[in-house]
Amino acid sequence: MQHKPLPKKSPVVIAGQGELFSLLQELKASDKLTLKSTSFESVIEKVQATDTVLYVGGLGPEALSSLKNRTTKLYSASLDYNDIKTSDELGLPTTSFTEYVKVRKGIWFPAIKRLVDIVLSAIGIIVASPVMLVTAILVRVKLGSPVLFSQERPGKNEKVFKVYKFRSMSNAKGPDGELLPDSQRLTRFGKILRSTSLDELPQFFSIFKGTMSIIGPRPQSFENVYFMNPGQRLRHCVTPGLTGYSQVSGRNAIPWDEKIQHDLEYIEHISFAKDMKIFIKTIAMVLMRKDITQQGSVSTESVGEFLLRTGQIDEKCFHQGHHDARAWEKLISN
């Protein structure tokens, strides 16, 4: 898909309905939106041919096609898969609404924070090299190839990047040729890698490159992101981190709504003092091997599973969201 940010100085009409439309109205009213001279329209007929338009969903694919016929300067930031698919079919440039949300800036953020990331990640790569070498050999001997597990995830402004970890699961398959459940593939050795966070060490390279930061909201899977509401997806206004506020506030032992709220609180109050506090707490938690997973589970439940368990969505919505998330991942990863 073609990702293209909106023109910086051009007046923009935000068209649509629903949660994202309402959120952007609230952000504009509180001066947290960077778009210039923004007007909001839920009626397509009011959009002029000369307007630069940002479509944010809620009207459906047919309305999106109609907007395409009304203006040549149409961008889509809809979070609905059907709209995303239609945008791709129409050849529309897509953008992330988080690119236009103001984040608190000061002496620490973002320039000095980035410089510290480069320095600390370089030191981390050098100091941890012997440990990474030994870990890689052990993974190769105990779990086989490949040594590294990689997965594409939405990062800052939901731009796709690859997360690398040392493998902690085997490739064991059942009689049907499908991978066995996580609980059967996670070996004792894999559990040690996770509990000590040794599996995360390759992410120092991502931090040095700039796709990750030392401190920030943890990068999530496409499925987890897809099940988040627009307000929760504000967590993607900043670069994802190796560790973050939600990790030192319970790691995987707290429910998703609390995790995301911690992430949003962090973004609202980024500072050197807060980052240092998170950094120190992370080291302490890793040494104590605290709050690794939720009680009784190999891995933390997904956002969709959390919403289903708490009655916020039904089975039909869960399965449809799961399907759409996979389709969205495939579409934007190409």
Side-chain angles (χ1 to χ4, degrees):
M1 293 186 70
Q2 179 189 8
H3 183 89
K4 185 178 179 182
L6 285 158
K8 290 184 178 180
K9 297 183 180 180
S10 177
V12 175
V13 174
I14 294 180
Q17 291 179 356
E19 286 185 283
L20 180 52
F21 185 74
S22 298
L23 175 63
L24 293 181
Q25 285 181 310
E26 292 174 10
L27 292 171
K28 183 63 179 178
S30 58
D31 194 33
K32 292 184 179 180
L33 206 60
T34 62
L35 297 176
K36 305 296 182 181
S37 303
T38 308
S39 63
F40 294 82
E41 297 292 348
S42 58
V43 180
I44 296 174
E45 287 70 23
K46 291 186 178 181
V47 174
Q48 304 298 314
T50 56
D51 289 335
T52 298
V53 181
L54 177 63
Y55 175 70
V56 295
L59 301 178
E62 290 185 7
L64 185 54
S65 298
S66 178
L67 277 171
K68 176 67 166 58
N69 294 330
R70 295 187 68 86
T71 176
T72 58
K73 294 179 288 185
L74 175 62
Y75 298 73
S76 177
S78 176
L79 305 180
D80 177 76
Y81 171 68
N82 290 321
D83 283 335
I84 296 171
K85 183 179 179 182
T86 301
S87 298
D88 184 57
E89 293 170 349
L90 294 173
L92 297 178
T94 59
T95 188
S96 171
F97 80 94
T98 57
E99 290 193 39
Y100 315 108
V101 178
K102 293 179 182 178
V103 179
R104 181 175 179 267
K105 295 183 179 181
I107 296 176
W108 171 244
F109 181 81
I112 297 180
K113 180 176 170 70
R114 174 61 189 142
L115 179 61
V116 171
D117 279 342
I118 294 172
V119 173
L120 289 183
S121 60
I123 293 173
I125 291 169
I126 295 170
V127 173
S129 289
V131 178
M132 286 194 277
L133 178 60
V134 171
T135 303
I137 293 172
L138 290 174
V139 171
R140 179 67 178 83
V141 171
K142 294 181 175 293
L143 298 175
S145 294
V147 170
L148 292 178
F149 164 81
S150 67
Q151 186 179 60
E152 290 188 328
R153 294 188 178 181
K156 182 180 179 182
N157 297 322
E158 299 188 2
K159 293 179 181 178
V160 179
F161 78 106
K162 279 192 175 182
V163 171
Y164 294 94
K165 295 183 179 184
F166 283 119
R167 279 182 59 208
S168 58
M169 290 188 181
S170 71
N171 289 324
K173 297 180 179 180
D176 57 358
E178 296 294 324
L179 288 172
L180 293 172
D182 290 357
S183 58
Q184 297 180 44
R185 293 191 296 122
L186 183 63
T187 63
R188 181 181 178 185
F189 171 70
K191 290 178 181 179
I192 293 173
L193 285 183
R194 289 190 179 189
S195 65
T196 57
S197 296
L198 288 173
D199 61 325
E200 308 278 3
L201 290 178
Q203 290 172 37
F204 277 129
F205 292 96
S206 297
I207 296 168
F208 188 80
K209 182 180 178 182
T211 54
M212 289 184 65
S213 177
I214 297 290
I215 310 295
R218 284 291 294 161
Q220 297 299 326
S221 67
F222 282 86
E223 183 172 342
N224 280 342
V225 172
Y226 194 81
F227 273 103
M228 294 178 192
N229 64 45
Q232 292 173 328
R233 286 169 79 157
L234 285 170
R235 69 191 298 281
H236 302 114
C237 287
V238 299
T239 304
L242 179 64
T243 184
Y245 188 36
S246 66
Q247 278 63 51
V248 300
S249 301
R251 208 168 180 180
N252 289 334
I254 57 176
W256 270 108
D257 52 353
E258 291 184 33
K259 285 185 188 180
I260 298 172
Q261 187 56 43
H262 287 316
D263 290 337
L264 297 176
E265 289 174 10
Y266 169 76
I267 293 170
E268 194 74 23
H269 305 287
I270 293 177
S271 68
F272 172 76
K274 197 169 192 67
D275 277 13
M276 282 301 298
K277 186 176 181 180
I278 292 171
F279 184 76
I280 293 169
K281 280 191 172 183
T282 297
I283 293 175
M285 291 181 71
V286 169
L287 292 176
M288 292 187 293
R289 297 165 69 175
K290 183 180 178 183
D291 298 331
I292 305 301
T293 56
Q294 292 170 318
Q295 187 175 0
S297 67
V298 175
S299 301
T300 182
E301 67 179 350
S302 69
V303 176
E305 290 168 339
F306 166 75
L307 294 175
L308 179 63
R309 178 175 61 82
T310 56
Q312 298 180 59
I313 60 173
D314 57 23
E315 287 278 356
K316 181 179 179 180
C317 184
F318 171 75
H319 290 297
Q320 185 63 52
H322 178 78
H323 172 272
D324 288 351
R326 293 294 178 88
W328 173 51
E329 176 181 1
K330 184 176 180 180
L331 186 62
I332 71 171
S333 295
N334 291 334

